[in-house]
Amino acid sequence: MGFLRHKHLLGLENVPIEDIQTILDTAFTFREVLDRPIKKVPTLQGKTVVNLFFEPSTRTRISFELAEKRLSADTVNFSASASSLTKGESFKDTVQNIEAMKIDGIVMRHPVPGAPIHLTKYVDSVIINAGDGIHEHPTQALLDMMSLKEKFGELKGLKIGIIGDITHSRVARSNIIGLKKVGAEVTLCGPPTLMPLGIEELGAQINYNLDEVLNWADAVNILRIQRERQGVNYFPSVREYRALFGVTKERVEKLDKPLTIMHPGPMNRGVEIDSDVADSENAIILDQVLNGVAVRMAILYLLLGDKPPEDKD
Amino acid sequence: MKKLLSKRLPPLFHIKNGNIIDPFRDKEFVGDILIKNGKIVEVGEKIEVTDEVAVCDVQGLVVTHGFCDIHAHFREPGREDKETLTTGSQAALAGGFTTVCVMPNTDPPLDSPESIRFICEKATDLPINILPIGTITKGMKGRELSEMSAMYEEGAVAFSDDGLPLVDGGVLRRALEYSSRMGVPIINHAEDPTLKLTGQMHEGRWSTKLGLIGIPYVSESIMVSRDIQIAGFTGGRLHVPHVSSEKSMEYIRNAKDEKWLVTAEVTPHHLYFTDSDLEGYNTYLKVAPPIRTEEDRQALINGLKDGVIDCIATDHAPHTVEDKESPFDWAPNGMIGLETAFGASWYVLFENKIPLRKVIELFTVNPRRILGFELDLFRYGVEAELVILDVEKKWVFNEDHIYSKSRNSAFIGKELLGYPVGVISTNRFYSNDETFFSKYMT
Ligand SMILES: [Zn+2]
């Protein structure tokens, strides 16, 4: 089953460009469904999808859940804190128990990189990665690409800046990989302490001067910043972060062309992004949220659906 | 429990036509070994025996000293579900080892004379020599020195808090000073925790690609450098375990140039694998220190070539399947290594044109020299500890070759070169090769 090259969506790394194209095209047709008064199609009737969340997440889980419901799939939510799992029942037992209940697909969010790849060894269901540690978050990158495509019509040749903590960002990783595949240019900007070694090898450039990046870019994806991670401070203060890497009203106003603003949420207003910027007409942050549902519907359908895309109602 | 085939040696046992490698005299010749009541009587080119004698013709096979591993974790006491002294001994024999030094990071740790005695007493009935390493500090807490002298009297052969680094340089200084009168080394697991943080694999392009938090090589080299300077300053005896990075090699080389009492070991897995092998998140390759780059691997091989690294040690670290089936960040560090040690090392070193005789030294006289053990195992009257090797055999390691209680080996499915077909230890003949065994032991 499935209309894509691979059975699962584990990351964008192994997704060929044709499949990215198919996902985005399908997402746009589902986007039309979302604009109808009755936003539901029977596409996945009779299929069961488990949302397996080993890490707290509201947005992504709701987005997936909504996508599943709009496609008429049966959904079950399973949330567990990672700490209880490290001690008690093993990961393998947990997932095998869930699969024993006859399910078709698993949407998994997990704090450990590579966990979805791990999961493929223990279950037969279709697996969709909803974020694995700092590794990948493919549906987020796809919804970002969809939003860019909606805005610009074409992804090829677009200049995209990604601003913030690159080291700990699965959003950044998947975005770099995806955007490179479709022929966009990517420049990363953030404190050097949060720039991972060898990230250029994924095809991105690094520029530590935010004003230069904002001037160069057609759109910027601003990442949520966290000053402390497991007791380690990666930059001295929020004030200094904002001074160097905050996308402020003043910075944006100085630009001589409009700059499209994206943020995967949740935002720290006044830290990595100013409220005026986030709420400006060039911001497509809320479109990203809506497109998120459409992209997830597309992926669920392409991986779990029975009928080819053309015959879809 | 899985055991090798074994039989008591006949009173007079004559090994004939072996390619005998004597790593103590650095000699290699076709010849014979005569063993009487489990002890070496004679080693020479042709031995005439008039008494009734059991003959074992090993033409085409190498016969040399039994291997010595100075770094293994047998998990007893505390985690007998992973390994015991008994099961670990079988794994050792399968790999050609007749002497194994066990690390003290057990539960409780081997940090008292009583715990050292516990291991020594348990080991008396076992088919190999098991020699305990005591902790450097009480409870491995890195603060107060353990009763090293009393542990030494009970049979501790070295001191280490392995698994954990000694972060406090002052404690290391006092440990090196205090142990110097016993002449045994301090072994410090060199990984600076403030640089390692929550790192999961070597920091570089692969950690970035896989989204795993990286462990920079400086987390090792900075501590190796510090340890060596303290060793130079105190004149104490320092052994650097499982060297993994090119940078650490520079400091060890420098220490040797200064003629300080510094020795070093490398593991077979650091010689065989590189960080790119972690693609796919194989938790069996999660080890501490981490597997590093191809450049590091080449530096380690060169270190063996020119003697900067003294020996190969397994860091045999058994873990249950359940533990290793966890997602990567939650899986414990370590892999088993006794069964594969020679096959993996010889595979790599043969490719790198290091002669067999040199490789044998890395498993025999060199580790024994570090801990001050008997070096001349071909001397008259010595308890026979020998390994018989088919050094030309290419084989693929699989789970059937495992004798350890655990199965966490990244070598499963990998090609190895050289196979230990038989071992003589504690007046018995051991083999995991039925054809070979039945040929001589019927
Ligand atoms: Zn260690």
Side-chain angles (χ1 to χ4, degrees):
Chain A
M1 207 56 58
F3 307 112
L4 301 175
R5 190 78 54 87
H6 299 289
K7 179 182 169 183
H8 312 289
L9 179 68
L10 304 174
L12 286 190
E13 167 103 51
N14 298 313
V15 179
I17 176 150
E18 304 79 55
D19 283 0
I20 291 180
Q21 219 61 63
T22 308
I23 294 168
L24 295 180
D25 291 347
T26 314
F28 277 110
T29 63
F30 279 122
R31 174 63 198 271
E32 284 162 30
V33 172
L34 293 176
D35 292 332
R36 289 182 204 162
I38 294 168
K39 302 172 180 60
K40 199 158 171 153
V41 287
T43 319
L44 291 187
Q45 215 152 44
K47 305 270 181 185
T48 307
V49 181
V50 178
N51 299 315
L52 199 51
F53 277 67
F54 292 96
E55 198 182 64
S57 152
T58 327
R59 288 152 185 267
T60 307
R61 214 205 61 225
I62 289 175
S63 181
F64 265 110
E65 214 180 319
L66 211 52
E68 290 148 10
K69 293 207 160 117
R70 299 269 189 252
L71 293 170
S72 308
D74 295 319
T75 69
V76 185
N77 290 317
F78 177 97
S79 307
S81 78
S83 57
S84 70
L85 278 159
T86 44
K87 292 184 204 85
E89 193 183 33
S90 79
F91 176 69
K92 183 183 169 186
D93 287 341
T94 308
V95 298
Q96 285 185 338
N97 262 295
I98 288 166
E99 179 161 68
M101 297 181 229
K102 302 283 176 216
I103 54 161
D104 303 289
I106 296 177
V107 172
M108 186 170 77
R109 160 70 60 94
H110 201 286
V112 177
I117 294 175
H118 228 67
L119 185 60
T120 60
K121 293 179 197 150
Y122 305 138
V123 300
D124 293 323
S125 307
V126 166
I127 294 157
I128 297 168
N129 181 6
D132 60 327
I134 60 170
H135 178 225
E136 277 222 48
H137 193 356
T139 58
Q140 176 70 44
L142 287 162
L143 76 87
D144 289 344
M145 287 196 273
M146 180 182 177
S147 305
L148 286 166
K149 201 170 169 164
E150 188 177 40
K151 173 90 187 184
F152 294 96
E154 178 75 65
L155 294 171
K156 199 166 180 219
L158 273 186
K159 296 187 171 82
I160 311 297
I162 302 177
I163 322 283
D165 174 355
I166 309 298
T167 296
H168 301 103
S169 177
R170 51 188 169 218
V171 176
R173 252 182 205 76
S174 288
N175 259 286
I176 298 167
I177 296 165
L179 288 168
K180 289 312 290 181
K181 285 194 184 186
V182 298
E185 280 183 68
V186 179
T187 296
L188 308 171
C189 183
T193 47
L194 291 166
M195 199 62 78
L197 219 63
I199 191 77
E200 305 93 316
E201 289 187 35
L202 295 182
Q205 324 235 27
I206 297 172
N207 186 343
Y208 293 116
N209 184 321
L210 180 62
D211 290 311
E212 282 178 23
V213 175
L214 296 181
N215 258 313
W216 166 86
D218 298 311
V220 286
N221 205 338
I222 303 159
L223 306 172
R224 180 183 168 79
I225 198 79
Q226 225 178 305
R227 195 168 85 88
E228 195 205 278
R229 281 182 171 268
Q230 280 151 325
V232 179
N233 294 329
Y234 289 92
F235 53 90
S237 69
V238 164
R239 185 173 68 176
E240 195 156 301
Y241 183 85
R242 193 179 132 83
L244 294 174
F245 303 105
V247 180
T248 58
K249 189 175 172 224
E250 298 72 48
R251 281 202 159 102
V252 174
E253 275 174 352
K254 267 195 318 198
L255 303 171
D256 45 23
K257 61 174 167 50
L259 174 69
T260 298
I261 304 291
M262 301 163 83
H263 194 298
M267 286 184 277
N268 293 307
R269 286 172 183 262
V271 182
E272 72 262 4
I273 187 168
D274 271 7
S275 271
D276 285 338
V277 175
D279 301 332
S280 72
E281 58 173 14
N282 288 325
I284 56 167
I285 296 168
L286 293 175
D287 304 277
Q288 287 175 274
V289 177
L290 180 60
N291 289 337
V293 179
V295 149
R296 286 169 181 129
M297 285 172 82
I299 289 158
L300 285 159
Y301 161 66
L302 290 168
L303 292 175
L304 290 163
D306 295 322
K307 282 181 282 174
E310 292 77 40
D311 312 341
K312 176 169 86 274
D313 29 12
Chain B
M1 189 190 72
K2 200 171 156 194
K3 284 174 107 168
L4 280 88
L5 301 164
S6 112
K7 201 164 181 183
R8 193 182 157 84
L9 288 183
L12 210 50
F13 191 60
H14 186 184
I15 298 172
K16 277 184 80 151
N17 297 321
N19 294 328
I20 293 175
I21 296 183
D22 181 347
F24 178 67
R25 292 176 189 78
D26 198 18
K27 276 184 9 189
E28 189 176 349
F29 55 94
V30 174
D32 300 2
I33 297 175
L34 190 64
I35 299 165
K36 190 176 179 181
N37 299 323
K39 294 192 165 59
I40 298 285
V41 173
E42 198 182 341
V43 179
E45 286 189 0
K46 198 150 201 82
I47 301 173
E48 298 298 334
V49 186
T50 45
D51 300 325
E52 193 190 325
V53 62
V55 175
C56 169
D57 192 316
V58 293
Q59 195 175 7
L61 299 174
V62 165
V63 186
T64 188
H65 295 181
F67 296 157
C68 172
D69 184 16
I70 62 171
H71 191 150
H73 301 268
F74 279 1
R75 308 290 185 216
E76 191 174 345
R79 286 308 299 265
E80 289 84 351
D81 57 324
K82 295 184 174 185
E83 195 82 285
T84 63
L85 298 173
T86 311
T87 58
S89 301
Q90 294 296 319
L93 288 169
F97 291 88
T98 55
T99 295
V100 173
C101 304
V102 291
M103 280 295 175
N105 61 337
T106 48
D107 185 16
L110 310 180
D111 66 350
S112 65
E114 293 75 20
S115 54
I116 296 295
R117 193 186 313 141
F118 166 83
I119 300 292
C120 292
E121 277 172 6
K122 274 221 144 179
T124 49
D125 300 331
L126 294 174
I128 60 166
N129 298 316
I130 292 185
L131 303 162
I133 294 168
T135 67
I136 301 170
T137 64
K138 284 178 190 148
M140 288 180 63
K141 292 201 163 69
R143 288 193 290 269
E144 289 174 78
L145 293 183
S146 312
E147 290 180 300
M148 287 192 211
S149 185
M151 287 197 283
Y152 175 74
E153 296 302 329
E154 288 293 345
V157 294
F159 300 101
S160 179
D161 281 2
D162 187 58
L164 297 174
L166 267 185
V167 176
D168 187 325
V171 174
L172 179 69
R173 171 192 175 163
R174 289 184 286 280
L176 283 163
E177 287 171 341
Y178 197 77
S179 63
S180 61
R181 60 174 285 278
M182 294 164 246
V184 299
I186 296 294
I187 305 171
N188 185 28
H189 179 118
E191 276 192 298
D192 184 331
T194 64
L195 285 162
K196 178 171 180 166
L197 295 173
T198 56
Q200 299 293 327
M201 70 173 290
H202 171 71
E203 180 171 342
R205 51 193 289 241
W206 281 99
S207 63
T208 294
K209 191 156 182 254
L210 295 171
L212 290 166
I213 297 285
I215 304 169
Y217 70 79
V218 282
S219 65
E220 175 182 86
S221 59
I222 202 154
M223 201 171 256
V224 167
S225 158
R226 179 202 71 168
D227 294 358
I228 281 171
Q229 290 184 55
I230 299 175
F233 174 72
T234 57
R237 195 175 281 274
L238 175 78
H239 177 68
V240 185
H242 42 53
V243 182
S244 69
S245 71
E246 183 175 14
K247 197 73 187 168
S248 302
M249 297 289 302
E250 283 178 30
Y251 297 116
I252 299 165
R253 189 180 306 267
N254 181 37
K256 298 216 158 177
D257 291 345
E258 298 278 0
K259 303 268 188 289
W260 291 336
L261 301 179
V262 173
T263 52
E265 74 189 29
V266 65
T267 74
H269 49 265
H270 286 105
L271 294 174
Y272 196 97
F273 296 106
T274 62
D275 58 348
S276 66
D277 291 312
L278 276 99
E279 190 175 22
Y281 302 89
N282 182 359
T283 56
Y284 285 180
L285 281 167
K286 184 178 172 183
V287 291
I291 308 271
R292 300 197 191 272
T293 65
E294 177 61 19
E295 291 73 44
D296 292 301
R297 192 180 79 93
Q298 284 304 328
L300 298 174
I301 293 167
N302 288 333
L304 285 174
K305 260 186 204 163
D306 57 23
V308 171
I309 295 183
D310 297 82
C311 75
I312 291 173
T314 65
D315 197 3
H316 179 84
H319 289 294
T320 62
V321 172
E322 298 78 63
D323 277 349
K324 281 289 189 179
E325 274 174 349
S326 309
F328 201 88
D329 286 15
W330 301 344
N333 286 310
M335 73 168 90
I336 56 168
L338 283 162
E339 294 94 332
T340 47
F342 181 75
S345 306
W346 177 223
Y347 182 90
V348 171
L349 300 178
F350 176 78
E351 264 184 358
N352 285 276
K353 307 201 164 39
I354 300 187
L356 178 64
R357 242 202 273 182
K358 172 78 198 167
V359 176
I360 295 287
E361 280 174 19
L362 300 171
F363 282 94
T364 56
V365 283
N366 289 9
R368 288 188 171 94
R369 190 175 292 116
I370 291 168
L371 294 184
F373 299 161
E374 170 71 58
L375 295 181
D376 185 6
L377 297 189
F378 287 165
R379 189 163 56 85
Y380 176 85
V382 165
E383 185 87 39
E385 278 187 61
L386 305 174
V387 58
I388 303 167
L389 299 163
D390 182 347
V391 295
E392 277 158 27
K393 182 170 172 168
K394 272 203 169 157
W395 54 297
V396 175
F397 184 71
N398 64 49
E399 290 207 9
D400 293 340
H401 296 113
I402 296 178
Y403 284 80
S404 166
K405 205 166 183 178
S406 294
R407 282 180 281 157
N408 54 311
S409 171
F411 288 105
I412 292 167
K414 298 290 174 200
E415 188 175 71
L416 307 180
L417 176 65
Y419 190 81
V421 287
V423 171
I424 290 168
S425 177
T426 58
N427 198 14
R428 294 183 76 87
F429 188 94
Y430 295 90
S431 177
N432 53 14
D433 183 324
E434 213 159 320
T435 334
F436 180 77
F437 186 78
S438 53
K439 196 166 154 195
Y440 305 109
M441 288 286 143
T442 38

